[in-house]
């Protein structure tokens, strides 16, 4: 009897997909500060905001200010959860929440343009 004919097949290795949600969370948190400065500059470059700042005219409110505060706070908490969570699914959900909260905060700044 041939020993090689009945030998078991080697196990098939499935390539595990690396979860980079921690890296993306840190990059989004670091990128939020320059994005906030850029949104502020774009807002001040608009005619309405610069007229409001210079002459006090046409100062119409944009979105409520609490939206920025809550967006910043929720983004910070979501970043901490994305860094500390041991489960990949939780980290990915926290990263999604972080990005959406940061976008809401930037939208509040741009609403004053």
């Amino acid at each position: 009897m041939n020993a090689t004919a009945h030998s078991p097949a080697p196990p098939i290795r499935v390539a595990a997909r690396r979860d980079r949600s921690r890296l993306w969370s840190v990059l989004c948190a670091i990128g939020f500060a320059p994005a906030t400065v850029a949104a502020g500059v774009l807002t001040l470059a608009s005619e309405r905001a610069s007229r409001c700042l210079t002459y006090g005219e046409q100062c119409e409110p944009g979105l409520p200010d609490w939206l920025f505060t809550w967006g910043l706070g929720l983004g910070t908490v979501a970043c901490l959860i994305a860094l500390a969570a041991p489960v990949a699914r939780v980290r990915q959900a926290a990263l999604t929440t972080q990005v959406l909260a940061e976008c809401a905060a930037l939208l509040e700044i741009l609403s004053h343009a």
Side-chain angles (χ1 to χ4, degrees):
M1 193 156 152
N2 191 354
T4 59
H6 297 288
S7 64
I12 299 174
R13 290 193 154 179
V14 178
R17 186 173 163 245
R18 287 194 65 184
D19 179 40
R20 297 184 187 265
S21 56
R22 288 182 175 140
L23 172 68
W24 283 109
S25 179
V26 169
L27 290 177
C28 288
I30 291 171
F32 180 68
T36 303
V37 171
V41 168
L42 286 175
T43 299
L44 291 176
S46 72
E47 182 180 348
R48 191 178 95 181
S50 60
R51 181 173 292 277
C52 176
L53 186 65
T54 306
Y55 302 113
E57 299 173 354
Q58 298 177 352
C59 295
E60 297 174 15
L63 292 173
D65 293 336
W66 57 263
L67 185 62
F68 178 78
T69 306
W70 278 95
L72 184 62
L74 183 62
T76 303
V77 170
C79 179
L80 292 175
I81 290 173
L83 292 175
V87 181
R89 181 174 282 168
V90 174
R91 288 193 304 265
Q92 291 168 352
L95 175 62
T96 303
T97 304
Q98 176 187 355
V99 169
L100 291 175
E102 289 176 355
C103 286
L106 292 174
L107 180 66
E108 195 279 327
I109 295 172
L110 291 174
S111 72
H112 293 287

